[in-house]
Amino acid sequence: MVAVTRELTEITVVGDDDTGLIAEVTSLLFERGINIEDLDQAVREGVFRMTMLVDTSEMVCTEVKLREDMAELAEGLGVDITVRFPKDRETQTIAVLVTKESHCLEAIFEAWASGDIDADVEVVIGNHPDLRPLAEKYDVPFHDIGDEKGTPDEDELLDLLAEYDTDLIVLARYMRILSPDVVFRYESRIINVHPSLLPSFPGASAYMQAIEEGVRVAGVTAHYVTTDLDQGPIITQRVFNVPPEATEEELQEIGQPLEAEALLEAIDLHLNDEVYVHRGRTRLRDPEESDAQLGAPEELDARNPDRPIDGLGDIVAEGGEADD
């Protein structure tokens, strides 16, 4: 999937998998003079998703008419179709999903209050009510969608995301797996932070996994969410040393500030359109103009040894000279 740009309109189709869906939608676009620049589709657990980037600059209808036609088609096909024109993405809104841990949500609120987040934090949605007071402190609506066991009502979640016209979903230590029904509707617009250096130690209790495996360095990862658990494209990572005999609680104390830092940078990169996904890997649009720290600090490169390397011995044995 190519990156979403400000010039292309994004159309997303989500619903039960059925034959003919692609043909119906693409035919409608063709009839209205809309050129499809990129198309990506997937099916997971019986849910179909198609995302298209299209050029509407020369379409032979108005934006209102296209939305009306798409809504009529969606009703007939029994699917949901969302149309996002470039101007729809100029003022972005954020929905933050939480469970009980507060450190990432607090960091988001502090960055938002100081103007470091160039978007509006419109709503906080939790599967437990624990963080309601923190949201109220910043006058942000809080909605608890979990039952007594914390199981979320995803129909209510989707209704809330639509109500608040959400552009970006941030999982601030949200301890639930989103279904394809949610992920497919917000493809490449959901960011999660995970307490490990993915792809190592996915899933629950990542810090304990690191301790049990005896690693000497651990870390955290902010990534885009896909339907594969903790396997989405990595945006930012942070690394730290694991102290001898460290406990899970000690790693949490070290890692939580880094979780917040990695998540905030990932949010900033996404909102400023500095990062895009190409073949499952994130890239900076303009590396020379960005000071983003996607991986370890550049100082580490200078400290890494550069010898020996494969083939160097052969060069010396043949009487040549190795480059300094």
Side-chain angles (χ1 to χ4, degrees), residues 49-258:
R49 184 270 302 163
M50 177 171 63
T51 303
M52 293 178 291
L53 300 179
V54 303
D55 183 358
T56 54
S57 61
E58 297 183 4
M59 66 179 178
V60 294
C61 66
T62 65
E63 293 183 1
V64 172
K65 177 60 175 172
L66 179 61
R67 282 199 164 107
E68 291 176 349
D69 291 344
M70 280 295 185
E72 182 179 346
L73 179 63
E75 184 177 357
L77 295 175
V79 298
D80 291 337
I81 300 180
T82 303
V83 182
R84 299 176 72 227
F85 292 99
K87 65 180 179 58
D88 298 335
R89 301 191 294 269
E90 291 176 358
T91 302
Q92 301 186 74
T93 59
I94 297 175
V96 185
L97 273 58
V98 298
T99 296
K100 294 183 177 182
E101 296 182 26
S102 64
H103 58 286
C104 285
L105 178 61
E106 188 164 9
I108 290 170
F109 277 144
E110 289 176 353
W112 179 48
S114 66
D116 290 335
I117 290 182
D118 187 21
D120 294 326
V121 180
E122 291 285 336
V123 63
V124 177
I125 304 171
N127 64 316
H128 289 281
D130 298 55
L131 299 185
R132 183 187 299 274
L134 182 56
E136 291 176 345
K137 174 183 175 182
Y138 288 87
D139 295 322
V140 175
F142 182 95
H143 296 268
D144 177 11
I145 62 169
D147 61 16
E148 63 277 0
K149 295 182 179 180
T151 303
D153 183 339
E154 285 207 340
D155 288 336
E156 183 179 359
L157 172 60
L158 287 171
D159 289 343
L160 288 168
L161 295 175
E163 176 185 342
Y164 287 95
D165 196 20
T166 301
D167 291 303
L168 175 64
I169 301 171
V170 177
L171 308 187
R173 302 298 290 134
Y174 180 66
M175 308 303 290
R176 289 285 176 170
I177 299 173
L178 295 175
S179 74
D181 209 29
V182 176
V183 175
F184 279 168
R185 283 172 166 78
Y186 294 89
E187 190 86 4
S188 299
R189 292 192 285 138
I190 309 175
I191 295 176
N192 180 50
V193 63
H194 183 76
S196 82
L197 288 174
L198 292 174
S200 297
F201 313 136
S205 303
Y207 288 134
M208 180 54 69
Q209 291 184 62
I211 292 172
E212 291 173 346
E213 292 297 328
V215 300
R216 304 308 304 169
V217 293
V220 304
T221 304
H223 65 98
Y224 284 116
V225 173
T226 65
T227 54
D228 296 312
L229 178 62
D230 295 331
Q231 295 183 42
I234 292 169
I235 307 173
T236 57
Q237 293 184 303
R238 297 293 184 271
V239 181
F240 61 89
N241 289 314
V242 178
E245 309 301 327
T247 66
E248 184 178 21
E249 290 73 21
E250 288 171 337
L251 289 196
Q252 287 176 341
E253 290 180 4
I254 299 171
Q256 284 182 349
L258 295 175

